Amino acid sequence: MNEEDRLAQRRYFVMMIARLSGAAGAVFGIVLVARAVEWPDKAIGIALIIASLVEMAIVPLALARRWRSGG
């Protein structure tokens, strides 16, 4: 495996870790919403779910765009 392949593999793993961390955050938010009794606790869970879903959608695309431009 040459250096370009290793770099591509590392970048792929970084993008997958970003997606997995977003998924873990969303699951944690769902658990918060399910266990919360009062509204402020549920709002924190909902905010965490939304932020995690946005992270799952935006971060890998931003990384790919940055790497494509040579950064």
Side-chain angles (χ1 to χ4, degrees):
M1 190 181 312
N2 62 15
E3 187 60 33
E4 287 182 18
D5 291 339
R6 285 189 194 106
L7 181 61
Q9 186 179 26
R10 266 187 261 134
R11 289 178 174 179
Y12 175 78
F13 285 133
V14 168
M15 287 187 349
M16 290 303 111
I17 288 171
R19 286 187 176 133
L20 285 174
S21 67
V27 169
F28 183 62
I30 290 170
V31 169
L32 284 177
V33 170
R35 290 183 167 232
V37 177
E38 297 181 11
W39 175 244
D41 299 331
K42 287 187 185 260
I44 292 171
I46 291 170
L48 186 60
I49 292 168
I50 292 170
S52 297
L53 292 176
V54 169
E55 175 195 349
M56 287 173 58
I58 301 293
V59 171
L61 293 175
L63 287 172
R65 181 176 293 141
R66 179 178 178 187
W67 291 328
R68 191 176 313 129
S69 67

